[in-house]
Amino acid sequence: MKRLLTILSLVALVLSASAQELWTGTFATAPEFTGRGDMPQHSTLTGNTIRQIVKVTTAGKQLRVQLSNEFSDIPVEINGVYIALAKDTTDIDLKTVKWLKFAGKKNVTIPAHQAIYCDAFNYNLPKLTRLAVTICYGKRTPEHMTSHRGSRTNSYIALGNVKPGKKFVTIEKLAHWYNIAKIEVKAKKPAIAILGNSITDGRGSTTDAQNRWPDFMAEALDGEVGILNLGIGGNCVVEGGLSEPALKRFDRDILGQNNIDKLIIFEGTNDIGTCGGAYEKKAQQVIDAYKILIEKAHAKGIKVYGGTITPTKGNGWYSFFHEAMRQTINEWIRKPGNFDGIVDFDELVRDAKDPQQLIKEYSDDWLHLNPKGYEVMGKYAAKVVK
């Protein structure tokens, strides 16, 4: 009898642990250094307010938000931050406004090269919804903010510190996110992270339409799990490209996410396209980098899926040698035992009559996909990793 009770107690503990709610991303983006061209061109953030729109994936009753100043050399002063469900452009649902607090205060100064979470708070966040994050800046902001360049959604700047209920008069509109890094909810199911370049970041999608392939993936999964888009336009795996390469940013952007159990690595086309020689060596470097990233993820108990690199024929990056690199890397990705699973985007979107080229209806530049192509990719990826 005692043995039976012990077994039942252990089972209860296991079930309790499996049902435990953990901090889990419902939105995340990869922070970057902000050059002058991606800062406001006709106004300033200093002393002003920016309203930024993000789309969360999974629902939650408890939230916390992380703001990042990791790529800035001086602190950023923030007088207040509030969230609300977004309506149209700058309009918000005033009934859903919630001020964020930091150690019990509305104002916060984020030190240089650091990121901070706000205090956890209760909030009824629906799944697959647009959320407005409004930041009222103080008198000191960095010349080069920490941002994400490829927001694919418009952000709006207004003069002064605009509180909820006050008319938001836009003085500048731009498609970047500033300081926002993560939005997390307490959830039972782990999230899925995606490491990618501009195809994941959404180049070719429609601004404000939320039609990147990870968006379609989240919709196909009905918001049951968090989908974290850590794509960066122009990003490389090994070196070069735009922003920190995957090898350098992996620990922060992927392993720094809470409660993820699956990862899709869909990078490499920029390493191929920018290669000007020693093609075999560079292809092997990409493969060796994949091995490092897989090993790191496995050490954290994360299952890793490899996304095959999509065709580029018709684009200026295409050549016989670049195509040979792509085929070499894709062959390695597909080989059983290298990844835990394969998301074969190449096979999915290539033209059956010319496999080195994308299906015409799926792309406008023979490199990036368009919303029609992204929809196909997102729905397919959802089936593979479900």
Side-chain angles (χ1 to χ4, degrees):
M1 186 66 178
K2 289 183 177 180
R3 184 180 180 185
L4 177 60
L5 289 173
T6 301
I7 292 172
L8 290 174
S9 297
L10 289 172
V11 170
L13 285 171
V14 171
L15 291 174
S16 175
S18 65
Q20 184 181 7
E21 291 190 334
L22 301 173
W23 285 117
T24 308
T26 183
F27 166 86
T29 192
E32 303 175 84
F33 172 85
T34 313
R36 296 180 67 88
D38 293 315
M39 290 294 291
Q41 300 297 298
H42 309 293
S43 62
T44 178
L45 294 173
T46 305
N48 291 332
T49 300
I50 187 166
R51 181 159 292 166
Q52 308 178 81
I53 311 300
V54 303
K55 187 175 181 181
V56 301
T57 50
T58 192
K61 299 294 184 181
Q62 285 183 288
L63 271 69
R64 66 178 185 178
V65 177
Q66 187 191 65
L67 302 178
S68 173
N69 193 37
E70 292 169 274
F71 285 92
S72 305
D73 292 327
I74 67 169
V76 57
E77 294 181 1
I78 294 175
N79 291 336
V81 184
Y82 57 92
I83 65 169
L85 298 185
K87 289 186 175 180
D88 185 37
T89 58
T90 61
D91 291 340
I92 58 174
D93 184 348
L94 293 176
K95 296 179 181 178
T96 66
V97 169
K98 182 75 175 183
W99 285 92
L100 275 55
K101 292 187 177 180
F102 304 84
K105 299 179 180 180
K106 286 185 178 179
N107 64 301
V108 65
T109 297
I110 310 175
H113 308 299
Q114 292 189 28
I116 63 167
Y117 279 103
C118 72
D119 302 340
F121 59 96
N122 295 328
Y123 195 83
N124 186 20
L125 181 69
K127 64 183 179 181
L128 302 172
T129 195
R130 293 165 63 248
L131 190 71
V133 181
T134 305
I135 301 177
C136 303
Y137 287 101
K139 296 180 179 180
R140 192 181 189 195
T141 62
E143 178 183 358
H144 298 286
M145 296 284 280
T146 297
S147 71
H148 183 80
R149 295 173 294 110
S151 64
R152 315 300 168 192
T153 65
N154 281 309
S155 297
Y156 308 88
I157 300 174
L159 284 174
N161 283 185
V162 182
K163 296 181 179 180
K166 296 294 183 180
K167 188 175 181 180
F168 196 101
V169 180
T170 301
I171 59 172
E172 185 169 357
K173 179 175 71 174
L174 62 174
H176 310 301
W177 287 315
Y178 298 95
N179 296 123
I180 302 173
K182 303 175 187 174
I183 300 175
E184 296 180 341
V185 298
K186 280 292 185 72
K188 295 178 182 178
K189 294 184 178 180
I192 300 170
I194 304 167
L195 180 71
N197 47 47
S198 57
I199 299 175
T200 296
D201 203 24
R203 177 72 178 270
S205 65
T206 310
T207 300
D208 293 328
Q210 318 295 338
N211 54 14
R212 318 163 189 84
W213 74 261
D215 296 317
F216 284 113
M217 181 181 177
E219 294 277 353
L221 293 171
D222 196 30
E224 292 301 311
V225 297
I227 301 297
L228 309 182
N229 185 338
L230 284 311
I232 293 181
N235 200 233
C236 285
V237 176
V238 180
E239 61 185 355
L242 299 179
S243 296
E244 293 179 333
L247 276 176
K248 185 174 182 179
R249 69 185 182 96
F250 190 78
D251 288 4
R252 179 192 62 244
D253 291 350
I254 302 300
L255 301 186
Q257 304 298 328
N258 290 305
N259 196 28
I260 61 171
D261 68 346
K262 295 175 184 176
L263 164 66
I264 299 174
I265 296 178
F266 180 41
E267 278 217 66
T269 194
N270 291 325
D271 298 76
I272 296 171
T274 59
C275 184
Y279 302 102
E280 291 182 8
K281 180 181 178 181
K282 177 52 69 87
Q284 188 60 50
Q285 287 177 336
V286 173
I287 291 169
D288 290 342
Y290 286 159
K291 293 176 182 178
I292 293 171
L293 302 182
I294 292 168
E295 183 178 1
K296 283 188 170 187
H298 282 172
K300 296 288 187 178
I302 300 169
K303 186 175 182 179
V304 188
Y305 293 79
T308 52
I309 301 170
T310 47
T312 61
K313 187 178 180 180
N315 186 273
W317 274 4
Y318 174 84
S319 75
F320 171 84
F321 297 104
H322 293 100
E323 178 63 16
M325 290 177 69
R326 188 179 76 90
Q327 295 294 345
T328 297
I329 295 170
N330 279 350
E331 182 180 357
W332 188 89
I333 292 172
R334 292 188 178 106
K335 186 176 180 180
N338 288 334
F339 281 94
D340 299 305
I342 310 302
V343 186
D344 204 337
F345 286 133
D346 170 39
E347 184 178 47
L348 179 74
V349 299
R350 68 192 184 197
D351 191 330
K353 296 179 179 178
D354 189 349
Q356 297 181 18
Q357 186 167 286
L358 291 165
I359 294 172
K360 184 178 180 180
E361 291 76 15
Y362 289 174
S363 178
D364 300 323
D365 65 1
W366 302 112
L367 176 62
H368 303 92
L369 285 290
N370 58 28
K372 186 174 182 179
Y374 285 142
E375 181 175 9
V376 171
M377 290 175 65
K379 289 180 177 178
Y380 163 70
K383 291 180 181 179
V384 174
V385 303
K386 189 173 181 180

